[in-house]
């Protein structure tokens, strides 16, 4: 067994995030698993699943996207919710199991917007404007064919959505979560507002890049006002979308400056940037900086979490160093080994990422258990 290289040792350094004392810099990335009860309650299997990452050494877990209301926010059948008292009760064993192992857990609050493909509460979709999401529904979440054409939210309905995020954040706190992450990435509702081709509004919520950040800012403000100052509030931001993976902001670095600068002025603790490769340039033809480096530069006071193929200790260390990140979020590599932080810490060999066919639901937990039982070769 080899020791952790010096640069990778940064991963093991503690970090203070508002009131949370995180034991290290490794964060579990949010990953939808469509494994809740049909009515959105978390299951025992989900409890065991999240506990296994805490046992495996992740200091902070961000949950899969959770819908905040019993209206248009749910995106996938068997997605968990934080919309009712029953949902709150069902999450209590999950947060307790994670805390027992010394980790913290943040609920990712997600409104599906134009990328909804399974919602038992209502039919139809709501978005910034009546513009269909590009591409096709996600097969791994049981969708087929093009997305539905959404209806534009009225200004009054935007207010209701904002309030629903705030109410769900309070429920998250009641369920024992240590914070909430507003899903502002990947083409869902908040990102639809941020995106030029999905937001055609002329009412102060669209037009300039700054106006497109208004919904994100208002949701952050409402959430912060509802939960007070002793609760972590973060936001996740991306260029790419589930329905348009290669999208880049047309305004380049200037648009990044507007978005990150606007969010830095809101009462939020962290910015979680996600890219296909976190350490690659965000606008390769024009600028060498990665999205996390731009976030560090334009939102200097915020904690930066970077995500995207930080599969090895070396990539993660690079992101924590030059990449400007304070924390690194690990997705697919964590599914392949729920003890990714321990393996990196101990210099043990890492396993190959799982095939995408294993991503849909929690069937992968069994896969992980089988793999974990195998003798692990040392590097
Ligand atoms: C199965 C699966 C489900 C995902 N679900 C979500 C989600 O609910 N919310 C979110 O923000 N990102 C989601 N993502 C994106 C991941 O958080 C992460 O950004 C992506 O996998 C890239 O990071 P990685 O290269 O470390 O895997 C999901 C990814 C996968 C593979």
């Amino acid at each position: 067994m080899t020791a952790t290289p010096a640069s990778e040792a940064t991963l093991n350094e503690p970090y203070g995030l508002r009131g949370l004392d995180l034991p290290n810099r490794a964060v579990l990335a949010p990953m939808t698993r469509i494994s809740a009860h049909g009515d959105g309650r978390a299951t025992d299997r989900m409890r065991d699943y999240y506990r296994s990452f805490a046992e495996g050494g992740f200091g902070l877990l961000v949950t899969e996207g959770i819908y905040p209301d019993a209206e248009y926010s749910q995106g996938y059948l068997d997605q968990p919710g934080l919309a009712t008292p029953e949902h709150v009760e069902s999450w209590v064993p999950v947060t307790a199991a994670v805390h027992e192992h010394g980790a913290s857990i943040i609920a990712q609050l997600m409104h599906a917007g134009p990328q909804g493909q399974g919602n038992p509460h209502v039919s139809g979709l709501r978005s910034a404007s009546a513009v269909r999401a590009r591409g096709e529904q996600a097969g791994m979440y049981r969708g087929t064919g093009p997305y539905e054409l959404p209806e534009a939210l009225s200004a009054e309905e935007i207010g209701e959505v904002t309030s629903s995020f705030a109410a769900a954040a309070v429920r998250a706190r009641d369920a024992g979560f240590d914070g909430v992450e507003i899903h502002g990435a990947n083409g869902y509702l908040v990102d639809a507002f941020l995106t030029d081709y999905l937001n055609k509004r002329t009412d102060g919520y669209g037009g300039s890049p700054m106006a497109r950040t208004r919904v994100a800012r208002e949701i952050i403000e409402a959430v912060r006002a509802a939960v007070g100052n002793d609760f972590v509030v973060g936001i996740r931001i991306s260029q790419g979308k589930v329905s348009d993976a290669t999208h880049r902001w047309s305004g380049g670095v200037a648009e990044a400056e507007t978005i990150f600068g606007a969010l830095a002025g809101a009462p939020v603790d962290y910015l979680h940037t996600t890219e296909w490769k976190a350490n690659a340039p965000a606008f390769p033809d024009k600028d060498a900086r990665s999205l996390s480096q731009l976030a560090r530069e334009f939102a200097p006071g915020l904690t930066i979490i970077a995500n995207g193929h930080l599969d090895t200790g070396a990539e993660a260390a690079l992101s924590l160093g030059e990449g400007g990140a304070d924390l690194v979020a690990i997705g697919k590599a964590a599914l392949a080994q729920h003890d990714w932080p321990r393996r990196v810490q101990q210099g043990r060999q890492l396993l190959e990422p799982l095939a995408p066919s294993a991503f849909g639901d929690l069937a992968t937990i069994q896969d992980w258990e089988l793999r974990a039982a195998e003798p692990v070769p040392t590097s």
Side-chain angles (χ1 to χ4, degrees):
M1 194 175 289
T2 54
T4 310
S7 64
E8 293 178 26
T10 330
L11 255 174
N12 305 323
E13 287 174 6
Y15 187 80
L17 178 60
R18 201 163 270 263
L20 302 181
D21 294 322
L22 304 178
N24 59 44
R25 308 302 181 94
V27 179
L28 176 69
M31 283 180 283
T32 291
R33 308 313 310 275
I34 53 169
S35 300
H37 292 293
D39 62 6
R41 282 173 300 126
T43 59
D44 290 349
R45 202 168 188 204
M46 288 165 64
R47 176 202 59 208
D48 296 345
Y49 167 77
Y50 283 111
R51 173 170 43 210
S52 69
F53 292 103
E55 274 175 331
F58 282 93
L60 177 64
L61 278 52
V62 183
T63 67
E64 59 206 283
I66 300 173
Y67 61 87
D69 63 43
E71 293 196 36
Y72 292 95
S73 61
Q74 184 169 351
Y76 303 113
L77 297 177
D78 300 331
Q79 184 188 355
L82 264 170
T84 67
E86 291 75 24
H87 292 159
V88 172
E89 206 178 311
S90 75
W91 280 108
V92 170
V94 180
T95 57
V98 169
H99 289 153
E100 266 169 36
H101 292 277
S104 297
I105 180 165
I106 283 178
Q108 187 186 57
L109 300 180
M110 162 179 154
H111 189 304
Q115 291 180 164
Q117 56 178 64
N119 183 342
H121 304 289
V122 290
S123 59
L125 303 178
R126 292 290 181 274
S127 186
S129 297
V131 180
R132 198 189 300 275
R134 291 177 179 166
E136 303 232 313
Q137 297 180 32
M140 69 180 177
Y141 304 137
R142 308 182 197 124
T144 52
Y147 290 95
E148 268 181 63
L149 179 66
E151 278 182 35
L153 289 164
S154 67
E156 192 187 338
E157 287 170 329
I158 291 175
E160 287 165 13
V161 168
T162 302
S163 303
S164 81
F165 270 90
V170 171
R171 288 186 207 102
R173 196 182 55 190
D174 293 346
F177 284 101
D178 301 292
V180 289
E181 176 173 288
I182 294 152
H183 198 343
N186 300 359
Y188 298 105
L189 183 71
V190 177
D191 186 36
F193 272 88
L194 290 170
T195 301
D196 49 8
Y197 73 84
L198 292 172
N199 182 347
K200 299 292 178 194
R201 299 181 76 98
T202 54
D203 62 352
Y205 286 100
S208 68
M210 188 52 154
R212 285 189 260 118
T213 67
R214 182 170 162 192
V215 154
R217 287 181 283 123
E218 288 184 357
I219 291 174
I220 291 169
E221 280 159 17
V223 166
R224 174 60 73 203
V227 297
N229 288 331
D230 298 331
F231 199 62
V232 173
V233 179
I235 185 162
R236 192 171 218 226
I237 296 289
S238 68
Q239 300 195 85
K241 307 175 193 316
V242 170
S243 55
D244 183 7
T246 57
H247 176 70
R248 288 186 198 279
W249 296 335
S250 58
V253 170
E255 191 164 337
E257 181 170 10
T258 301
I259 293 173
F260 295 147
L263 297 174
V268 72
D269 298 306
Y270 73 77
L271 253 177
H272 183 173
T273 55
T274 168
E275 288 263 85
W276 174 246
K277 282 189 187 291
N279 288 326
F283 306 103
D285 302 338
K286 301 171 194 138
D287 196 281
R289 286 169 290 180
S290 67
L291 203 62
S292 61
Q293 285 175 322
L294 294 168
R296 163 60 67 226
E297 181 168 337
F298 299 130
L302 299 186
T303 291
I304 306 298
I305 306 181
N307 166 254
H309 270 299
L310 300 174
D311 298 338
T312 62
E315 288 287 346
L318 186 62
S319 182
L320 291 170
E322 285 171 32
D326 301 294
L327 301 166
V328 284
I330 314 300
K332 294 179 288 290
L335 287 186
Q337 52 233 308
H338 294 202
D339 59 349
W340 185 94
R342 293 233 190 287
R343 283 178 187 249
V344 171
Q345 214 172 37
Q346 295 165 1
R348 286 157 66 200
Q349 186 169 329
L350 294 170
L351 301 169
E352 289 300 312
L354 303 179
S357 58
F359 288 167
D361 61 30
L362 279 184
T364 46
I365 194 175
Q366 286 161 351
D367 194 57
W368 172 72
E369 283 164 347
L370 287 173
R371 282 158 170 263
E374 289 169 8
V376 181
T378 52
S379 55

